[in-house]
Amino acid sequence: MHAWPASEVPALPGKGRDLRIHDTATGGPVTLDPGPVARIYVCGITPYDATHMGHAATYNAFDLVQRVWLDTKRQVHYVQNVTDVDDPLLERANRDGQDWTELAERETSLFREDMTALRMLPPQHYIGAVEAIPGIVPLVERLRDAGAAYELDGDVYFSVESDPHFGGVSHLDAEAMRLLSAERGGDPERPGKKNPLDPMLWMAAREGEPRWDGRSLGPGRPGWHIECVAIALDHLGMGFDVQGGGSDLAFPHHEMGASHAHALTGEHPYAKAYVHAGMVALHGEKMSKSKGNLVFVSALRRQGVDPAAIRLTLLAHHYRSDWEWTDAVLDEAVERLARWRAAVSRPDGPPADALVEEVRAALADDLDAPAALRAVDRWAALQERGGGTDEGAPGVVSRTVDALLGVAL
Ligand code: 5CA
Ligand code: ZN
């Protein structure tokens, strides 16, 4: 699949800082030390509805990770998937009497437009579940042949007990895992499973549903977790730097993904850090396609809201906190954007060197974007009061905000 166009990332004076970030698996901060090419996998959308602010907030967090790395002069190898075949997508297409491939294509196109408008850096590899199937089938066969998977009425399940590290990403107790598994695509109630938590790797063809050649597995379609593992192992390999997604993916998705990968390769860890963004809510509840309480990026764009203001709204919240989308938080961002634009529109202003370092320090410390915004606010306030005559300082501020925060002033 093609991704979307990249906006340019200006180079900044001085030296970038290494990223210290909260890792769900260890429950604390880790300082990442990627090689010259940092490797990141971020779980992509299931394209049955448009991009909402929750999605945008999560992708914003991982865009910042990349901008911090780029500032250290590393290259970034970024992979993202599109879950372009799965139960919720097929159910929505069925409900609305439309072709599931057309629905997926339409929503994926809209996602690309939204990501472009928000200046999110594109992945080098943007891979659909459907195009990954030829790579998924042999992995499921290998897991089965190694005794890490078993068949149940034609479906193939992964045995969580085959991985001694199982549980090491989310650290939940058995009851919590069971509840979340039922809520998030698992089937703990299905009789005949070795462990109720065992997730499906390959689903035998169902009447009226799309199917693919599964070689020795028979016709069917892939499970969700193996999709991301197949794509990540193919393009990044084991031990990549960051596995990213919203906090609702820690269990079961990232837990199962890590287990699949351990069982397949005999290596540990799958990712050096599991990084999870908080949930954005609307009217007190997590924004979700299934509940329909959504604010769409595309709808705001159509109403004429500047994408830079949308991005500033996301940046005003720490990526790990859960927060509520309101008109007021957007209004604040619109005002901030206007203040910043006015401040950089003059040829000179207060010195900017310290600001570059403040923004760097804030982001390197677990992506503290709100602290970065406060630093820029302080500079803009000084400028407003006529606080300096440094030639070119506004240009430096503008490039800093662009390079590190993805906001074009
Ligand atoms: N296709 C899978 C991942 S492989 C999936 O979870 N798709 S999704 O469309 O449901 O979500 C895409 C990304 O947005 C995930 O990282 C998810 O955790 C995140 N996300 C979904 N809802 C919210 C929300 N309300 N707030 C923050 N992030 C969210
Ligand atoms: Zn995923």
Side-chain angles (χ1 to χ4, degrees):
M1 246 183 221
H2 67 285
W4 54 92
S7 51
E8 243 186 79
V9 182
L12 297 177
K15 214 169 153 281
R17 297 186 183 214
D18 281 337
L19 177 63
R20 200 167 141 269
I21 199 155
H22 185 89
D23 167 35
T24 304
T26 51
V30 291
T31 299
L32 294 170
D33 182 23
V37 183
R39 295 174 294 162
I40 178 167
Y41 185 93
V42 181
C43 282
I45 53 162
T46 305
Y48 67 91
D49 213 336
T51 321
H52 59 63
M53 288 310 153
H55 300 137
T58 289
Y59 295 111
N60 179 57
F62 298 101
D63 192 71
L64 297 181
V65 168
Q66 295 176 67
R67 288 173 184 277
V68 172
W69 282 337
L70 290 171
D71 188 39
T72 63
K73 307 284 181 271
R74 290 182 172 93
Q75 286 177 30
V76 178
H77 192 172
Y78 173 24
V79 180
Q80 188 180 135
N81 68 307
V82 188
T83 308
D84 58 0
V85 64
D86 202 5
D87 294 341
L89 174 76
L90 297 175
E91 281 159 18
R92 176 64 62 94
N94 247 342
R95 186 196 80 179
D96 298 346
Q98 53 182 331
D99 182 80
W100 64 273
T101 56
E102 277 170 26
L103 173 62
E105 268 170 40
R106 192 177 67 234
E107 298 303 348
T108 305
S109 294
L110 189 57
F111 177 73
R112 289 189 188 100
E113 286 169 25
D114 289 337
M115 291 296 107
T116 309
L118 293 172
R119 295 171 77 80
M120 304 283 182
L121 297 168
Q124 280 81 41
H125 298 278
Y126 192 45
I127 312 286
V130 171
E131 62 184 326
I133 290 174
I136 294 172
V137 170
L139 297 191
V140 178
E141 290 176 329
R142 258 169 61 194
L143 286 169
R144 182 199 56 197
D145 297 346
Y150 60 94
E151 207 184 296
L152 182 60
D153 301 332
D155 300 326
V156 182
Y157 279 91
F158 177 73
S159 175
V160 295
E161 276 142 32
S162 67
D163 172 28
H165 297 286
F166 177 71
V169 173
S170 58
H171 302 286
L172 298 170
D173 62 37
E175 186 52 22
M177 286 202 261
R178 206 186 160 97
L179 286 171
L180 287 176
S181 160
E183 219 175 273
R184 298 174 181 168
D187 55 2
E189 305 302 330
R190 181 168 176 177
K193 290 169 68 173
K194 287 189 182 164
N195 182 312
L197 299 174
D198 291 344
M200 216 184 263
L201 291 165
W202 186 255
M203 182 193 268
R206 305 288 199 263
E207 189 62 37
E209 284 191 358
R211 64 196 60 198
W212 288 267
D213 177 16
R215 305 200 307 194
S216 69
L217 309 170
R221 61 181 166 97
W224 173 31
H225 320 304
I226 193 69
E227 163 196 343
C228 284
V229 173
I231 296 169
L233 290 183
D234 190 19
H235 294 282
L236 297 174
M238 284 297 277
F240 57 90
D241 297 287
V242 167
Q243 159 73 79
S247 58
D248 57 342
L249 296 189
F251 191 89
H253 189 50
H254 293 163
E255 187 75 66
M256 296 300 177
S259 275
H260 292 355
H262 300 153
L264 276 165
T265 63
E267 288 170 40
H268 179 85
Y270 176 49
K272 291 184 184 137
Y274 297 85
V275 179
H276 293 110
M279 289 291 114
V280 181
L282 182 70
H283 307 140
E285 267 199 281
K286 172 194 160 187
M287 242 184 233
S288 84
K289 288 178 281 209
S290 51
K291 287 197 206 99
N293 56 335
L294 305 169
V295 176
F296 294 120
V297 175
S298 46
L300 289 186
R301 290 200 290 121
R302 266 197 308 276
Q303 289 162 28
V305 177
D306 190 324
I310 302 177
R311 183 116 192 201
L312 275 183
T313 313
L314 309 174
L315 291 162
H317 301 86
H318 192 274
Y319 83 98
R320 279 208 284 143
S321 56
D322 297 331
W323 55 282
E324 171 97 13
W325 180 272
T326 60
D327 289 344
V329 293
L330 177 60
D331 291 347
E332 247 174 66
V334 169
E335 274 169 35
R336 175 176 263 141
L337 183 63
R339 268 188 280 122
W340 288 11
R341 283 193 172 147
V344 299
S345 67
R346 294 188 225 155
D348 57 9
D353 296 353
L355 172 69
V356 180
E357 291 315 313
E358 279 171 344
V359 173
R360 275 186 170 135
L363 291 182
D365 179 14
D366 201 22
L367 305 176
D368 193 348
L373 299 200
R374 288 194 297 273
V376 182
D377 283 344
R378 284 193 295 273
W379 183 89
L382 280 179
Q383 172 73 306
E384 213 173 320
R385 282 187 250 124
T389 54
D390 260 31
E391 198 71 38
V396 174
V397 173
S398 205
R399 284 194 293 283
T400 303
V401 167
D402 186 358
L404 293 174
L405 301 170
V407 175
L409 293 179

